[in-house]
Short mmCIF file of all heavy atoms in Angstrom, two decimals:
data_model
loop_
_atom_site.label_atom_id
_atom_site.label_comp_id
_atom_site.label_asym_id
_atom_site.label_seq_id
_atom_site.Cartn_x
_atom_site.Cartn_y
_atom_site.Cartn_z
N VAL A 293 75.41 101.53 83.09
CA VAL A 293 76.69 100.76 82.89
C VAL A 293 77.28 101.14 81.54
O VAL A 293 78.43 101.34 81.45
CB VAL A 293 76.57 99.32 83.08
CG1 VAL A 293 77.70 98.45 82.61
CG2 VAL A 293 76.04 98.92 84.43
N ALA A 294 76.43 101.13 80.48
CA ALA A 294 76.95 101.52 79.14
C ALA A 294 77.49 102.95 79.16
O ALA A 294 78.49 103.22 78.55
CB ALA A 294 75.84 101.41 78.14
N GLY A 295 76.89 103.86 79.88
CA GLY A 295 77.40 105.24 79.96
C GLY A 295 78.68 105.31 80.72
O GLY A 295 79.64 106.06 80.25
N VAL A 296 78.90 104.44 81.80
CA VAL A 296 80.13 104.44 82.44
C VAL A 296 81.19 103.93 81.52
O VAL A 296 82.32 104.54 81.56
CB VAL A 296 80.01 103.63 83.69
CG1 VAL A 296 81.36 103.34 84.35
CG2 VAL A 296 79.14 104.29 84.85
N PHE A 297 80.93 102.91 80.88
CA PHE A 297 81.98 102.24 80.00
C PHE A 297 82.31 103.34 78.85
O PHE A 297 83.58 103.48 78.57
CB PHE A 297 81.46 101.04 79.43
CG PHE A 297 82.36 100.47 78.29
CD1 PHE A 297 83.51 99.92 78.55
CD2 PHE A 297 81.97 100.64 76.90
CE1 PHE A 297 84.44 99.41 77.42
CE2 PHE A 297 82.72 100.16 75.85
CZ PHE A 297 84.03 99.59 76.21
N LEU A 298 81.38 103.87 78.24
CA LEU A 298 81.66 104.79 77.15
C LEU A 298 82.46 106.11 77.57
O LEU A 298 83.19 106.62 76.97
CB LEU A 298 80.36 105.06 76.29
CG LEU A 298 79.79 104.05 75.55
CD1 LEU A 298 78.45 104.43 74.89
CD2 LEU A 298 80.76 103.45 74.52
N GLY A 299 81.97 106.51 78.93
CA GLY A 299 82.60 107.72 79.28
C GLY A 299 84.12 107.43 79.63
O GLY A 299 84.95 108.23 79.37
N SER A 300 84.42 106.26 80.25
CA SER A 300 85.78 105.89 80.53
C SER A 300 86.63 105.71 79.22
O SER A 300 87.69 106.17 79.16
CB SER A 300 85.82 104.45 81.19
OG SER A 300 87.11 104.08 81.55
N ALA A 301 86.00 105.05 78.15
CA ALA A 301 86.68 104.85 76.95
C ALA A 301 86.96 106.21 76.24
O ALA A 301 88.04 106.34 75.77
CB ALA A 301 85.81 104.02 75.99
N ALA A 302 86.01 107.13 76.40
CA ALA A 302 86.16 108.52 75.80
C ALA A 302 87.46 109.24 76.41
O ALA A 302 88.26 109.78 75.67
CB ALA A 302 84.91 109.38 75.94
N TRP A 303 87.63 109.05 77.72
CA TRP A 303 88.80 109.62 78.35
C TRP A 303 90.03 109.01 77.75
O TRP A 303 91.07 109.81 77.53
CB TRP A 303 88.78 109.39 79.79
CG TRP A 303 90.18 109.83 80.48
CD1 TRP A 303 91.04 108.89 80.94
CD2 TRP A 303 90.77 111.09 80.40
NE1 TRP A 303 92.23 109.60 81.34
CE2 TRP A 303 92.03 110.88 81.03
CE3 TRP A 303 90.41 112.30 80.04
CZ2 TRP A 303 93.02 112.00 81.20
CZ3 TRP A 303 91.31 113.35 80.32
CH2 TRP A 303 92.60 113.22 80.78
N TRP A 304 90.16 107.67 77.58
CA TRP A 304 91.39 107.02 77.09
C TRP A 304 91.61 107.48 75.73
O TRP A 304 92.92 107.50 75.29
CB TRP A 304 91.24 105.56 77.20
CG TRP A 304 91.10 105.16 78.70
CD1 TRP A 304 90.01 104.46 79.23
CD2 TRP A 304 92.06 105.45 79.78
NE1 TRP A 304 90.21 104.39 80.64
CE2 TRP A 304 91.42 104.99 81.00
CE3 TRP A 304 93.19 106.13 79.82
CZ2 TRP A 304 92.07 105.16 82.27
CZ3 TRP A 304 93.86 106.27 81.10
CH2 TRP A 304 93.31 105.75 82.23
N VAL A 305 90.66 107.82 74.92
CA VAL A 305 90.88 108.35 73.57
C VAL A 305 91.54 109.74 73.58
O VAL A 305 92.51 109.96 72.97
CB VAL A 305 89.50 108.49 72.82
CG1 VAL A 305 89.73 109.22 71.44
CG2 VAL A 305 89.07 107.08 72.48
N VAL A 306 91.05 110.50 74.47
CA VAL A 306 91.70 111.95 74.75
C VAL A 306 93.07 111.73 75.28
O VAL A 306 93.95 112.45 74.68
CB VAL A 306 90.85 112.76 75.77
CG1 VAL A 306 91.49 113.92 76.15
CG2 VAL A 306 89.38 112.89 75.31
N LEU A 307 93.27 110.80 76.23
CA LEU A 307 94.64 110.79 76.77
C LEU A 307 95.61 110.19 75.72
O LEU A 307 96.76 110.65 75.50
CB LEU A 307 94.60 109.81 77.92
CG LEU A 307 96.09 109.54 78.61
CD1 LEU A 307 96.59 110.80 79.20
CD2 LEU A 307 95.99 108.40 79.66
N ALA A 308 95.24 109.19 74.92
CA ALA A 308 96.08 108.58 74.00
C ALA A 308 96.41 109.56 72.85
O ALA A 308 97.50 109.54 72.43
CB ALA A 308 95.34 107.30 73.32
N ALA A 309 95.46 110.33 72.43
CA ALA A 309 95.65 111.36 71.46
C ALA A 309 96.64 112.35 71.86
O ALA A 309 97.56 112.84 71.12
CB ALA A 309 94.29 111.87 70.92
N GLY A 310 96.34 112.89 73.04
CA GLY A 310 97.15 113.96 73.55
C GLY A 310 98.51 113.56 73.82
O GLY A 310 99.52 114.27 73.35
N ALA A 311 98.80 112.38 74.47
CA ALA A 311 100.12 111.97 74.82
C ALA A 311 100.77 111.61 73.67
O ALA A 311 102.03 111.70 73.48
CB ALA A 311 100.02 110.88 75.88
#
Side-chain angles (χ1 to χ4, degrees):
V293 170
V296 169
F297 169 75
L298 292 175
S300 179
W303 166 253
W304 299 117
V305 171
V306 172
L307 179 68

